Amino acid sequence: MRVYGLQEENWDQSALSIVVVGASGDLAKKKIFPALFALYYEKMLPKNFKIYGYARSKMGDEEFRDLIASSLTCRLTDASDCGKKMDEFLDRCFYQAGQYASDADFAALASRMAEGEAPLECADRLFYLSIPPNIFTAVAASASKAASSKCGWTRMIVEKPFGRDSESFCALSDELYRHLREDQIYRIDHYLGKELIENLTVLRFANLVFEPLWSRQYIRNVQVIFSENFGTEGRGGYFDQYGIVRDVIQNHLLQILALFAMEQPASLDAEDIRNEKVKVLKSMAQVRLEDVVVGQYRSRTTRGSTLPGYLDDDTVPPNSITPTFAACAVFVNNARWDGVPFLLKAGKALHSRVAEIRVQFRHVPGNLYRNKLGLDLDKATNELVIRIQPNEGIYLKVNNKVPGLGLRIDTTRLDLTYKSKYEATLPDAYERLILDCINGDRRLFIRNDELEVAWEKFTPVLKELEERGVQPELYPYGSRGPVGAHYLAAKHGVRWGDLAADDE
Ligand SMILES: NC(=O)C1=CN([C@@H]2O[C@H](COP(=O)(O)OP(=O)(O)OC[C@H]3O[C@@H](n4cnc5c(N)ncnc54)[C@H](OP(=O)(O)O)[C@@H]3O)[C@@H](O)[C@H]2O)C=CC1
Ligand SMILES: O=C1O[C@H](COP(=O)(O)O)[C@@H](O)[C@H](O)[C@H]1O
């Protein structure tokens, strides 16, 4: 495995062509090109790299460069040479218009790539499929047939959604396997590229203090929470076909759960880690309808301005009952986690933008300080919070004597806030994942069988929600979500940690 950026002596030996398919789209502009530029800036790309945008829209190289340039930023504040670096980067970007299902158009792209790769004959080729899912397989077919590398590797990063249920997932997967081998497919879940998620296994397995507590014996419940303070603005057409369970819970939050709950892998090898994730997902019970609450945001007028409801989005069908909020309780039926509720919650147009894991520990048995801790012991139990974003950090709520002559106890935090501890700017998830793909490191990409199990757990309840036409509970834009989520938590003896008065 070559490691670009880290072993500079390898830089001259091969060319790398990166093709962004769907280059005219939102994700490419917002995330992929900025990530590629950041990698270039940080000298993580090989010397002989070129980038090719591919989509149906007609434009020339210069127009394409202008399009990309508007979204490139200099992450580093002391980046005085950033403008120069941007120009150098843009000089390596080219655009090829073509149809997605056309072998001839991909062959034309391949000729262009060969020119860019010359005089080196051997080039690696990475295709990033940043396109709607209905054209994934057409692109995989044509690109692999007409534009694969002849003597280097060819890899494809495939974006979610990977189907919308078990059936469509299997069809997509079979179709991809007709054109690509598993080792060529990099299924991306960008949450796995986030700093705090990569740190989750370090926290668990490189510290003695956490792992012994990591089980039903000490943990009362685990909460994985995702909230956004904006609606589907601009993505309503896509979103309405999927809804929040498929968009966020079945993939991002379930992946976090798997990393959180898995057993220690035999090594840091990608297959060992993914084997453990699959095992824990297999131990999970199917999600039950009675353990799910769904909601949809409605408009809200505040201080004279109106925030639009989900149904006000022109791209959303009138009367849609697609959930923009969902909470569910899931259970991992193995020796470590038997009976511990894992609560997953995700919503759009809520009061804040946060993603975090909350681990609520059990009460201290026979607590000597019980009468000093107030009537509500739940509030005084230890809670470990892994804040994925924003303001990344880890903190542990502990009970502590308030300094002074009396004996007063309060709950305070052992706090590792990244921005106070580390100077470095955190890399964007897409930077890490694209670099890993170039390096052939598959640890943070999802294996086919992980998805197969993930869909098995969610497909029946998704079907039930749809077949019964379950009406989502309406919640106002910018609120804390439907009340039903509190009832669901209470049913499992849980209180949402993010909604506690002392935990803004
Ligand atoms: N945007 C985001 O924040 C996120 C997106 N994703 C996933 O990434 C992928 C790309 O997302 P995004 O950039 O938002 O998608 P877009 O809708 O912007 O589509 C990307 C490009 O694909 C082409 N395209 C769009 N619709 C069709 C169609 N029906 N048939 C053929 N071509 C079409 C267009 O290019 P042209 O017309 O020039 O060919 C478009 O510029 C999707 O799979 C999405 O689910 C995942 C996470 C977040
Ligand atoms: O995959 C998706 O993620 C984004 C949220 O990503 P983040 O990195 O900004 O937290 C979400 O808005 C989108 O609906 C979903 O498709």
Side-chain angles (χ1 to χ4, degrees), residues 31 160 190-191 194 226 228 230 235 238-239 247-248 252 348 353 389:
K31 293 290 186 184
K160 65 176 248 277
H190 76 281
Y191 264 64
K194 293 198 185 256
F226 165 102
E228 279 181 340
F230 48 88
R235 291 187 75 216
Y238 150 80
F239 189 87
D247 190 44
V248 173
H252 302 325
K348 291 194 173 271
R353 176 173 178 259
Q389 67 186 32

Side-chain angles (χ1 to χ4, degrees), residues 372-393:
K372 299 274 174 200
L373 292 169
L375 292 176
D376 190 350
L377 270 191
D378 278 6
K379 283 192 183 158
T381 55
N382 300 123
E383 185 173 12
L384 176 70
V385 180
I386 299 166
R387 172 72 55 82
I388 302 162
Q389 67 186 32
N391 195 17
E392 291 81 353

Side-chain angles (χ1 to χ4, degrees), residues 287-343:
V287 186
R288 301 177 312 171
L289 188 61
E290 60 265 39
D291 286 332
V292 178
V293 168
V294 288
Q296 189 185 81
Y297 65 92
R298 62 168 173 78
S299 74
R300 178 196 203 180
T301 302
T302 160
R303 292 192 205 104
S305 66
T306 299
L307 297 161
Y310 179 65
L311 296 183
D312 297 326
D313 184 333
D314 289 340
T315 58
V316 170
N319 308 322
S320 165
I321 56 167
T322 298
T324 58
F325 174 100
C328 59
V330 302
F331 292 87
V332 178
N333 294 331
N334 63 14
R336 189 187 279 267
W337 297 114
D338 193 7
V340 177
F342 285 78
L343 276 98

